[in-house]
Amino acid sequence: MSKKLEKNERDFIKFLDNLPIGIFELIYTYSTRIGKFSNLNKTARNIFLKCATKEELDSNFDFMKMLVDPDIVKDEIQIFDRIQEKGILIINNKQFLLTSLKGKQFLIDTNIRAKMKGDIITITGTLQESSKVVVDKTEKSIPELQEMQKEMSNYHDFFETFDALIMIVNEEGRILFISPNVDDRFFYKPRSETIGKKFDEIFPKGQADFFLSHCLESIEKNEIVTIEYHLPIENMVRWFQSQAIPVQVTDSESKKVVTIIRDVTELKTKTN
C-alpha cells in the first residue's frame, strides 16, 4: 500500500471517528449466538462501552446480554431466524433497550443490514442514543468536490455495506459526494447531473431551500437533524428520511454535513 493511500485511509478513519453517529460491523455466529465486532467507530465504541467491557468488545462475546428485557432477547432471536430464512434482512428505525455496566437503562436507535452466509451473519449499521421511545411502525468549490471524490473513491466496499444513500454536502448546498451503493433510478435527476451541483441547480426553488435549510440547521445547531420528505420519481411519489450530521472541520475548510438518506416509501404507505 502506498504512503498516500495509507494517509487517505487514516484520514477516512479519523473522519468516521468524528461522526456523532455510531457505525459498526458485527460478525455473529448463528449456532452459538456469539459475536465479535470487526469495526466500530469512536462513537459506536463509546456507546457500547457503557454496557460491555473493552475486553468483551475486542473479543467474542454474547452481546445479547446487553439487552434489558428477556422478551426482547426472544424477539431478537426471532429476527435472526428471519435472516436465516431470507439470507438478508434490513431493519430501519429499530430501537433497543440496553442495560449499562452500572445497572442503568438507555435506548439506542439503530438501522441495520444483516446478511447470512452459512452459519455466519454479518451485521452492519448505524446507531445513536435516544432520549425518547419511538413507536415501532412496522415501519466550496469544484476543487473541493474533486478532492472529496478522490478521497472517497477508495472506500467503495465500505459504502456497499449500507442500505442507505450517503451524501456529503457543504454549507453552500453543493453535493460533494454520493455513495455508490444506490441505483440512479432513485435520484430526482441522474447522478451525473447531481454530483457537484448545488441544490438550486437540481430542484425547484422551494425544494432546494428546504434541503439547504435542513443542512444549515444541522451545522448551526451542531447536532443531528432528521426530516422526512417526498419527491416525484419515475412517475410516483417516494418518501425519504434524511439525517444531517455535522462534520468537524478545520478553519480553512467549508462546513459540511453527512446526510444518511433512506427510502421509507413502503413504511409510509403501510401506515397511511
Side-chain angles (χ1 to χ4, degrees), residues 5 25 90 100 118 122 144 172-173 175 178 195 219 224 265:
L5 199 56
E25 180 178 70
I90 295 172
S100 73
T122 301
E144 180 185 32
E172 297 178 317
I175 299 172
I178 301 175
I195 185 69
I219 290 172
I224 299 172
T265 305

Side-chain angles (χ1 to χ4, degrees), residues 83 107 122 134 183 187:
I83 300 172
L107 277 169
T122 301
V134 179
D183 193 280
F187 288 95

Side-chain angles (χ1 to χ4, degrees), residues 1 17 31 48 50 74 80 82 100 109 117 123 142 161 164 189 192-194 204 226 234-235 263 270:
M1 183 182 292
D17 279 341
S31 59
F48 285 126
K50 290 186 176 183
K74 181 179 178 181
F80 288 124
R82 286 161 56 196
S100 73
D109 297 322
K117 185 175 182 180
I123 304 167
I142 296 303
T161 65
K189 287 187 176 182
S192 60
E193 297 177 28
T194 301
T226 303
E234 289 196 336
N235 299 318
D263 189 328
K270 281 184 178 179

Side-chain angles (χ1 to χ4, degrees), residues 73-195:
V73 175
K74 181 179 178 181
D75 178 57
E76 302 322 318
I77 291 175
Q78 291 174 350
I79 288 176
F80 288 124
D81 288 339
R82 286 161 56 196
I83 300 172
Q84 188 182 43
E85 291 174 7
K86 299 182 178 181
I88 190 169
L89 187 65
I90 295 172
I91 304 172
N92 291 327
N93 304 316
K94 175 72 176 179
Q95 285 198 319
F96 295 90
L97 185 61
L98 305 184
T99 181
S100 73
L101 294 173
K102 297 181 179 180
K104 295 183 179 181
Q105 299 178 1
F106 64 100
L107 277 169
I108 58 169
D109 297 322
T110 65
N111 294 281
I112 298 169
R113 182 180 189 233
K115 189 173 183 179
M116 190 169 190
K117 185 175 182 180
D119 195 36
I120 303 299
I121 301 174
T122 301
I123 304 167
T124 59
T126 61
L127 76 157
Q128 63 193 95
E129 288 192 61
S130 175
S131 59
K132 60 182 179 179
V133 177
V134 179
V135 178
D136 185 1
K137 298 181 178 180
T138 46
E139 8 185 332
K140 233 172 210 186
S141 66
I142 296 303
E144 180 185 32
L145 165 68
Q146 293 173 338
E147 183 64 25
M148 183 66 69
Q149 291 297 301
K150 189 175 181 180
E151 288 180 8
M152 294 302 179
S153 63
N154 299 310
Y155 306 102
H156 183 278
D157 291 344
F158 175 86
F159 288 107
E160 283 293 337
T161 65
F162 286 93
D163 66 307
L165 171 67
I166 300 174
M167 296 198 307
I168 298 176
V169 183
N170 70 9
E171 59 191 324
E172 297 178 317
R174 188 182 301 279
I175 299 172
L176 303 175
F177 173 78
I178 301 175
S179 61
N181 57 317
V182 176
D183 193 280
D184 280 13
R185 64 192 177 89
F186 291 111
F187 288 95
Y188 184 75
K189 287 187 176 182
R191 187 184 300 258
S192 60
E193 297 177 28
T194 301
I195 185 69

Side-chain angles (χ1 to χ4, degrees), residues 44-56:
R45 175 172 284 272
N46 288 340
I47 291 174
F48 285 126
L49 279 175
K50 290 186 176 183
C51 44
T53 66
K54 179 182 181 300
E55 289 72 22
E56 287 175 321

